[in-house]
Amino acid sequence: MDLGIEGRAALVTAASRGLGRAAAEALVAEGAQVLICGRDHGSLDEAGAALRAGGTRVETVAADVTDPAVPRMLVEATVEAFGGLDIVVANAGGPPPGRALDVEDEDLQSALNANLLSSIRLVRAGVPVMGRQGWGRICCIASYSVVQPIPRLALSNTARTGLWAWVKTAAHDLAEEARGVTLNLCCPGPHATDRMRELGGVGPMGDPGDFGRVVAFLCSQPAGFVNGAALVVDGGETLAL
Ligand code: NAD
């Protein structure tokens, strides 16, 4: 299937490793130009070099997407680099595990900043550009906890469900106000990444490369009528309807 995004300008945050990087790889494989960000110069430069082997233009910006000023800066950097912004994949590292009753205010504020507000800031910064172009695809990487909270991941569960509620509402606004621009969630179940290893995950794991290709589909031309969806990629683990 031709995803119809060759030459499109994409921004993928938190993409030096893991699922963000897999999304960037899948977009590059489809011929998109991609700007990636990550916090650490070493792994970001390594990821940039590997992605460039795909033959399309790839830019890297070292930045922490949880800084409130960074999402707008990244959108502007992508427009400056490629002359537009067609695709945004909003990703950030996940919060630490913990029991719901042990949650401290500061931890909650940090998780909400990283896994709710950073995505909202990226969408707010990107939509005006996409609206002017009449075409845009935004995919936020969340978690399968949007359909079924995961025990001892209280911070993540809280931030992701908040993001899901906001995305659903914003996608409806976009349908009325910015035809051609879509906003969806892609919700991983367990995938074999560094984070999953750090959390001590066991059992069946998805392939990050496949997850990246699902994200690329949501950012594709034929997915233009998929808006306000949460696509769960968990191998059937959750049972919620
Ligand atoms: P990961 O920790 O393996 O990789 C995250 C990447 O993002 C790293 O390159 C890291 O340097 C970068 N990063 C982290 N925080 C950043 C920030 N603030 N600014 C810029 N770059 C940053 O994580 P992953 O497994 O790829 O997961 C990606 C997201 O998906 C996370 O939010 C995670 O909680 C969520 N998730 C992952 C799984 C899974 O099984 N891997 C399952 C459910 C949800």
Coordinates of all heavy atoms in Angstrom, one line a residue, residues 13-21 37-40 43 63-67 70 91-95 114-115 141-145 150 153 156 160 187-199 205 208 211, ligand 1:
T13 N 8.8 13.6 18.2 CA 9.5 14.0 19.4 C 9.9 12.7 20.2 O 9.3 11.6 20.0 CB 8.7 14.9 20.3 OG1 7.5 14.2 20.7 CG2 8.3 16.2 19.6
A14 N 10.9 12.8 21.0 CA 11.4 11.7 21.8 C 11.7 10.5 20.9 O 11.2 9.4 21.2 CB 10.5 11.4 23.0
A15 N 12.6 10.7 20.0 CA 12.7 9.7 18.9 C 14.1 9.2 18.8 O 14.5 8.6 17.7 CB 12.3 10.3 17.5
S16 N 15.0 9.3 19.8 CA 16.3 8.8 19.6 C 16.3 7.3 19.9 O 17.2 6.6 19.4 CB 17.3 9.5 20.5 OG 16.8 9.7 21.8
R17 N 15.3 6.8 20.6 CA 15.2 5.3 20.9 C 13.8 4.9 20.9 O 12.9 5.8 20.8 CB 15.8 5.0 22.2 CG 17.3 5.1 22.3 CD 17.9 4.7 23.7 NE 17.5 5.6 24.7 CZ 17.0 5.3 25.9 NH1 16.9 4.1 26.3 NH2 16.8 6.2 26.8
G18 N 13.5 3.6 21.0 CA 12.2 3.1 21.3 C 11.1 3.4 20.2 O 11.4 3.4 19.0
L19 N 9.9 3.6 20.7 CA 8.8 3.7 19.8 C 8.8 5.0 19.0 O 8.3 5.0 17.8 CB 7.5 3.6 20.6 CG 7.3 2.3 21.5 CD1 6.0 2.4 22.3 CD2 7.4 1.1 20.6
G20 N 9.3 6.1 19.6 CA 9.4 7.3 18.8 C 10.4 7.1 17.6 O 10.1 7.5 16.5
R21 N 11.5 6.5 17.9 CA 12.5 6.2 16.8 C 11.8 5.3 15.7 O 12.0 5.5 14.5 CB 13.7 5.6 17.4 CG 14.7 5.3 16.3 CD 16.1 5.1 16.8 NE 17.0 4.5 15.9 CZ 18.3 4.4 16.1 NH1 18.8 4.7 17.2 NH2 19.1 3.9 15.2
C37 N 13.6 14.9 17.8 CA 14.2 15.5 18.9 C 14.5 14.4 20.0 O 13.8 13.3 20.0 CB 13.4 16.6 19.5 SG 12.3 16.1 20.8
G38 N 15.5 14.6 20.8 CA 15.8 13.8 22.0 C 16.6 14.6 22.9 O 17.1 15.7 22.5
R39 N 16.8 14.2 24.1 CA 17.5 15.0 25.1 C 19.0 14.8 25.0 O 19.7 15.7 25.3 CB 17.0 14.7 26.5 CG 15.6 15.1 26.8 CD 15.1 14.5 28.1 NE 15.2 13.0 28.1 CZ 14.8 12.2 29.0 NH1 14.2 12.7 30.1 NH2 14.8 10.9 28.9
D40 N 19.4 13.6 24.6 CA 20.8 13.3 24.8 C 21.5 13.3 23.4 O 21.1 12.6 22.5 CB 20.8 11.9 25.4 CG 22.1 11.1 25.1 OD1 23.2 11.8 25.3 OD2 22.0 10.0 24.7
S43 N 22.8 9.7 21.6 CA 21.9 8.8 21.0 C 21.1 9.5 19.9 O 20.7 8.9 18.9 CB 20.9 8.2 22.1 OG 20.3 9.2 22.8
A63 N 16.6 18.5 22.5 CA 15.6 19.3 23.2 C 14.8 18.4 24.1 O 14.5 17.2 23.8 CB 14.7 20.1 22.3
D64 N 14.4 18.9 25.3 CA 13.5 18.2 26.2 C 12.1 18.6 25.9 O 11.7 19.8 26.2 CB 13.9 18.5 27.6 CG 13.1 17.7 28.7 OD1 12.0 17.3 28.3 OD2 13.6 17.6 29.8
V65 N 11.3 17.7 25.5 CA 9.9 18.1 25.0 C 9.0 18.5 26.2 O 7.9 19.0 26.0 CB 9.3 16.9 24.2 CG1 8.8 15.8 25.0 CG2 8.2 17.5 23.3
T66 N 9.5 18.2 27.4 CA 8.7 18.6 28.6 C 8.9 20.1 29.0 O 8.1 20.7 29.8 CB 9.0 17.8 29.9 OG1 10.4 18.0 30.2 CG2 8.8 16.3 29.6
D67 N 9.8 20.8 28.3 CA 10.0 22.2 28.5 C 8.9 22.9 27.8 O 8.7 22.7 26.6 CB 11.4 22.6 28.0 CG 11.6 24.1 28.0 OD1 10.6 24.9 28.0 OD2 12.8 24.5 28.0
V70 N 9.5 24.2 24.3 CA 10.1 23.4 23.2 C 9.1 23.0 22.1 O 9.5 23.0 20.9 CB 10.8 22.2 23.9 CG1 11.0 21.0 22.9 CG2 12.1 22.6 24.4
N91 N 5.5 12.3 21.2 CA 5.9 11.3 22.1 C 6.8 11.9 23.2 O 7.4 12.9 23.0 CB 6.7 10.2 21.3 CG 7.2 9.0 22.1 OD1 6.4 8.5 22.9 ND2 8.4 8.6 21.9
A92 N 6.8 11.2 24.4 CA 7.7 11.6 25.5 C 7.9 10.4 26.3 O 7.2 9.4 26.3 CB 7.1 12.7 26.3
G93 N 9.0 10.4 27.1 CA 9.3 9.2 28.0 C 8.2 9.1 29.0 O 7.5 10.0 29.4
G94 N 8.0 7.8 29.4 CA 6.9 7.6 30.4 C 7.3 7.8 31.8 O 8.5 7.9 32.1
P95 N 6.3 8.1 32.7 CA 6.7 8.3 34.1 C 7.0 7.1 34.9 O 6.8 6.0 34.4 CB 5.3 8.9 34.7 CG 4.3 8.3 33.8 CD 4.9 8.1 32.5
A114 N 4.7 15.9 31.2 CA 5.4 15.1 30.1 C 4.4 14.4 29.2 O 4.6 14.3 28.0 CB 6.3 14.0 30.8
N115 N 3.3 13.8 29.8 CA 2.5 12.8 29.0 C 1.1 13.3 28.6 O 0.3 12.6 28.1 CB 2.5 11.5 29.7 CG 3.8 10.9 29.9 OD1 4.3 10.8 31.0 ND2 4.5 10.5 28.8
I141 N 1.5 9.3 20.8 CA 1.8 8.0 21.4 C 1.4 8.0 22.9 O 1.9 8.8 23.7 CB 3.3 7.6 21.2 CG1 3.6 7.5 19.7 CG2 3.6 6.3 21.9 CD1 5.1 7.1 19.4
A142 N 0.5 7.1 23.2 CA -0.1 7.1 24.6 C 0.2 5.7 25.2 O 1.4 5.3 25.3 CB -1.5 7.4 24.6
S143 N -0.8 5.0 25.6 CA -0.6 3.6 26.1 C -1.9 2.9 26.1 O -3.0 3.5 26.1 CB -0.1 3.8 27.6 OG -0.3 2.5 28.3
Y144 N -1.9 1.6 26.1 CA -3.1 0.8 26.2 C -3.8 1.0 27.5 O -5.0 0.6 27.7 CB -2.9 -0.7 25.9 CG -2.1 -1.5 26.9 CD1 -2.4 -2.8 27.2 CD2 -0.9 -1.0 27.5 CE1 -1.7 -3.6 28.1 CE2 -0.1 -1.7 28.4 CZ -0.5 -3.0 28.7 OH 0.2 -3.8 29.5
S145 N -3.2 1.8 28.4 CA -3.9 2.1 29.7 C -5.1 3.0 29.5 O -5.9 3.2 30.4 CB -3.0 2.7 30.7 OG -2.5 3.9 30.2
I150 N -3.3 0.2 34.1 CA -2.4 -0.9 34.4 C -2.0 -0.8 35.9 O -1.6 0.3 36.4 CB -1.1 -0.7 33.6 CG1 -1.5 -0.6 32.1 CG2 -0.1 -1.8 33.9 CD1 -0.4 -0.1 31.2
L153 N 0.9 1.6 37.7 CA 1.4 2.6 36.8 C 0.4 3.8 36.9 O -0.1 4.3 35.9 CB 1.4 2.1 35.4 CG 2.7 1.3 35.0 CD1 2.6 1.0 33.5 CD2 4.0 2.1 35.3
S156 N 1.1 7.1 34.9 CA 0.9 7.0 33.5 C -0.6 6.9 33.2 O -1.1 7.5 32.3 CB 1.6 5.7 33.0 OG 1.4 5.5 31.6
R160 N -2.5 9.5 30.6 CA -2.9 9.0 29.3 C -4.4 9.1 29.1 O -4.8 9.5 28.0 CB -2.6 7.5 29.1 CG -1.2 7.1 29.5 CD -0.1 7.7 28.7 NE 1.2 7.0 29.1 CZ 2.3 7.3 28.5 NH1 2.4 8.2 27.6 NH2 3.4 6.6 28.9
C187 N -1.8 3.6 20.8 CA -1.7 3.2 22.2 C -1.0 1.8 22.3 O -1.6 0.8 22.1 CB -3.1 3.0 22.8 SG -4.1 4.6 22.6
P188 N 0.3 1.9 22.6 CA 1.1 0.6 22.7 C 0.7 -0.2 23.9 O 0.6 0.3 25.0 CB 2.5 1.1 22.7 CG 2.5 2.4 23.3 CD 1.2 3.0 22.8
G189 N 0.6 -1.5 23.7 CA 0.7 -2.5 24.8 C 2.2 -2.7 24.9 O 3.0 -2.0 24.4
P190 N 2.6 -3.8 25.6 CA 4.0 -4.1 25.9 C 4.8 -4.3 24.6 O 4.4 -5.1 23.7 CB 4.0 -5.4 26.7 CG 2.6 -5.5 27.3 CD 1.7 -4.8 26.3
H191 N 5.8 -3.5 24.4 CA 6.7 -3.6 23.3 C 8.2 -3.6 23.8 O 8.5 -3.0 24.8 CB 6.5 -2.4 22.3 CG 5.4 -2.5 21.4 ND1 4.1 -2.3 21.9 CD2 5.3 -2.8 20.1 CE1 3.2 -2.5 20.9 NE2 3.9 -2.8 19.8
A192 N 9.0 -4.3 23.0 CA 10.4 -4.6 23.5 C 11.2 -3.3 23.3 O 11.9 -3.2 22.3 CB 10.9 -5.8 22.7
T193 N 11.2 -2.4 24.2 CA 12.0 -1.2 24.2 C 12.8 -1.1 25.6 O 12.5 -1.9 26.5 CB 11.1 0.1 24.1 OG1 10.3 0.2 25.3 CG2 10.3 0.0 22.9
D194 N 13.6 -0.1 25.7 CA 14.4 0.1 26.9 C 13.5 0.3 28.1 O 13.7 -0.2 29.2 CB 15.4 1.3 26.8 CG 16.5 1.0 25.8 OD1 16.7 -0.2 25.4 OD2 17.2 1.9 25.4
R195 N 12.4 1.1 27.9 CA 11.5 1.4 29.0 C 10.9 0.1 29.5 O 10.8 -0.1 30.7 CB 10.4 2.3 28.5 CG 9.3 2.5 29.6 CD 8.4 3.6 29.3 NE 7.2 3.7 30.2 CZ 7.2 4.2 31.5 NH1 8.3 4.6 32.0 NH2 6.1 4.2 32.2
M196 N 10.4 -0.8 28.5 CA 9.8 -2.0 29.0 C 10.8 -2.9 29.7 O 10.4 -3.5 30.7 CB 9.2 -2.7 27.7 CG 8.3 -3.9 28.0 SD 7.1 -3.7 29.3 CE 6.1 -2.4 28.6
R197 N 12.0 -2.9 29.3 CA 13.1 -3.7 30.0 C 13.3 -3.1 31.4 O 13.3 -3.8 32.4 CB 14.4 -3.7 29.2 CG 14.4 -4.7 28.1 CD 15.7 -4.7 27.4 NE 15.9 -3.7 26.4 CZ 15.4 -3.7 25.1 NH1 14.8 -4.8 24.7 NH2 15.6 -2.7 24.3
E198 N 13.3 -1.7 31.5 CA 13.4 -1.1 32.8 C 12.3 -1.4 33.8 O 12.5 -1.5 35.0 CB 13.5 0.5 32.7 CG 14.9 0.9 32.2 CD 14.8 2.3 31.5 OE1 13.9 3.0 31.7 OE2 15.8 2.6 30.7
L199 N 11.1 -1.5 33.2 CA 9.9 -1.8 34.0 C 9.8 -3.3 34.4 O 8.9 -3.8 35.1 CB 8.6 -1.4 33.3 CG 8.4 0.1 33.2 CD1 7.1 0.3 32.3 CD2 8.2 0.7 34.5
M205 N 5.7 -9.6 23.7 CA 6.0 -8.2 23.4 C 5.8 -7.9 21.9 O 6.3 -8.7 21.1 CB 7.5 -7.9 23.8 CG 7.8 -8.1 25.2 SD 7.9 -6.6 26.1 CE 8.1 -7.3 27.7
P208 N 8.7 -3.1 18.1 CA 8.6 -1.6 18.0 C 8.6 -1.2 16.5 O 7.9 -0.2 16.2 CB 9.9 -1.1 18.6 CG 10.3 -2.2 19.6 CD 9.9 -3.5 19.0
F211 N 5.1 -1.4 15.4 CA 4.3 -0.3 16.0 C 4.6 1.0 15.2 O 3.6 1.8 15.0 CB 4.7 -0.1 17.5 CG 4.0 1.0 18.2 CD1 2.7 0.8 18.7 CD2 4.5 2.3 18.2 CE1 2.0 1.8 19.3 CE2 3.8 3.4 18.8 CZ 2.5 3.1 19.4
Ligands
NAD1 P1 11.9 4.5 25.9 O1 12.2 5.0 27.3 O2 12.5 3.2 25.5 O3 12.4 5.6 24.8 C1 12.0 6.9 25.0 C2 12.9 7.8 24.1 O4 12.4 9.2 24.3 C3 14.3 7.8 24.5 O5 15.1 8.0 23.3 C4 14.5 9.1 25.4 O6 15.8 9.6 25.4 C5 13.5 10.0 24.7 N1 12.9 10.9 25.7 C6 12.3 10.6 26.9 N2 11.8 11.7 27.4 C7 12.1 12.7 26.6 C8 11.8 14.1 26.7 N3 11.2 14.7 27.7 N4 12.2 14.9 25.7 C9 12.9 14.4 24.6 N5 13.1 13.1 24.5 C10 12.8 12.3 25.5 O7 10.3 4.5 25.8 P2 9.4 3.7 24.8 O8 9.2 2.3 25.3 O9 9.8 4.0 23.4 O10 8.0 4.5 25.1 C11 7.6 5.6 24.4 C12 6.3 6.1 25.1 O11 5.3 5.0 25.0 C13 6.5 6.4 26.6 O12 5.6 7.4 27.0 C14 6.0 5.1 27.2 O13 5.6 5.2 28.6 C15 4.9 4.7 26.3 N6 4.5 3.2 26.3 C16 5.5 2.3 26.0 C17 5.1 1.0 26.1 C18 6.2 -0.1 25.7 O14 5.9 -1.3 25.9 N7 7.3 0.2 25.3 C19 3.9 0.6 26.5 C20 2.9 1.6 26.8 C21 3.3 2.9 26.7

